[in-house]
C-alpha cells in the first residue's frame, strides 16, 4: 500500500493529558487514539507494529515447543472464587452479572482458566510436559491510567503456562521461557535486563520481570 493511501492521521501538538514520551509520540505519529480513560484504538500504523511483535512472539514460543490456544475473556466468577482470588484481588477486577444473575468477571489474567482446562484434559503424566500460551485481551480497572498504553484498562497480553511432572521439569520450562524472552527483546531491537521481582497476587516461588 502507498503511504498516500494509508490512514495515518498525524498531529503537531502533544495531547494535553500525555505524560509519557512514548504516549506523546504515538499520538502525534498516528499510531493510537485514546477512546476513553485507559482505552485506546490501534490505528493502522500501530496495529501493524502490534502484528509484527505478535509474529516474533509466536515464532519464539513455537521454537521452545509451546502451543498456542485462545481462552475466553469473560469468566464465570466461580473459577476465581475457588482459588480465593475473586475477593483477594480487589477493585482492579471488572465484575458484572449476566442476565441470569450469575456473577462474571472480565479476565485480568488467565491462570484459573488454564488450570481448569489442564485439570480436565491432562489425564496422565505421559501428557507432560506441556507449555500453552496465548495472545489475548486482558482487562484491569487501573486507578490512574496515565502512562499511555503502558498502564491501561484493556490491553493485549501474551501469557504462557507450563505443566510439568516435577520441580526439575518446571525449572527446564522456566529456562526455556527465559531464552525465548531474551530472543524476543533482542529481535525487537531492545536492550533488556531481567531482574528479580515480587510475584504479587499471581503467586509462585520466584518471579522475574524485564526492564527495557
Amino acid at each position: 500500500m502507498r503511504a498516500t493511501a494509508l490512514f495515518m492521521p498525524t498531529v503537531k501538538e502533544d495531547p494535553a493529558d500525555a505524560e509519557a514520551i512514548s504516549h506523546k509520540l504515538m499520538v502525534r505519529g498516528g499510531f493510537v487514539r485514546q477512546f476513553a480513560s485507559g482505552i485506546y484504538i490501534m490505528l493502522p500504523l500501530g496495529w501493524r507494529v502490534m502484528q509484527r511483535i505478535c509474529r516474533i512472539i509466536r515464532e519464539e514460543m513455537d521454537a521452545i515447543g509451546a502451543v498456542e490456544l485462545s481462552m475466553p475473556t469473560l469468566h464465570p466468577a466461580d473459577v476465581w472464587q475457588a482459588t480465593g482470588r475473586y475477593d483477594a484481588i480487589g477493585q482492579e477486577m471488572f465484575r458484572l452479572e449476566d442476565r441470569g444473575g450469575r456473577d462474571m468477571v472480565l479476565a485480568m489474567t488467565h491462570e484459573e482458566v488454564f488450570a481448569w482446562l489442564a485439570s480436565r484434559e491432562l489425564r496422565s503424566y505421559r501428557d507432560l510436559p506441556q507449555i500453552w500460551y496465548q495472545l489475548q485481551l486482558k482487562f484491569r480497572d487501573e486507578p490512574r491510567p496515565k502512562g499511555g498504553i503502558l498502564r491501561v484498562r484493556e490491553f493485549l497480553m501474551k501469557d504462557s503456562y507450563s505443566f510439568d511432572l516435577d520441580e526439575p521439569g518446571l525449572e527446564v520450562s522456566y529456562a526455556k521461557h527465559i531464552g525465548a524472552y531474551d530472543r524476543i527483546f533482542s529481535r525487537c531491537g531492545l536492550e533488556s535486563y531481567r531482574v528479580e521481582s515480587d510475584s504479587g497476587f499471581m503467586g509462585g516461588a520466584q518471579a522475574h520481570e524485564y526492564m527495557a
Side-chain angles (χ1 to χ4, degrees), residues 1 25 29 32 53 56 68 71 80 88 90 101 106-107 114 127 129 139 144 147 158 165 172 176 180 183 196 211-212:
M1 176 183 292
L25 293 176
V32 300
I53 294 171
I56 291 172
E68 183 178 6
M71 290 294 188
W80 287 80
L106 292 179
F114 272 84
D127 296 329
F139 300 87
R144 190 173 178 270
K158 174 266 169 188
L165 183 62
V172 171
K176 287 182 178 180
R183 291 188 294 272
E196 293 185 359
M211 313 295 290

Side-chain angles (χ1 to χ4, degrees), residues 140-178:
R140 296 182 185 178
D141 196 1
E142 291 286 346
R144 190 173 178 270
K146 293 288 187 180
I149 64 169
L150 295 178
R151 301 289 292 184
V152 292
R153 296 197 289 171
E154 176 183 328
F155 55 96
L156 183 65
M157 188 175 88
K158 174 266 169 188
D159 48 331
S160 62
Y161 307 84
S162 73
F163 301 91
D164 303 282
L165 183 62
D166 50 26
E167 189 167 347
L170 172 62
E171 295 297 327
V172 171
S173 294
Y174 199 82
K176 287 182 178 180
H177 280 82
I178 289 174

Side-chain angles (χ1 to χ4, degrees), residues 79-91:
V79 298
W80 287 80
Q81 292 165 344
T83 63
R85 295 207 301 174
Y86 182 79
D87 297 314
I89 287 175
Q91 295 181 337

Side-chain angles (χ1 to χ4, degrees), residues 108-127:
M108 60 185 304
T109 184
H110 276 84
E111 285 87 358
E112 276 79 1
V113 187
F114 272 84
W116 182 94
L117 180 65
S119 68
R120 287 157 175 77
E121 302 298 334
L122 301 180
R123 303 182 183 280
S124 168
Y125 71 92
R126 296 183 180 88
D127 296 329

Side-chain angles (χ1 to χ4, degrees), residues 4 49 97 121 145 149:
T4 54
V49 172
E97 290 185 358
E121 302 298 334
I149 64 169

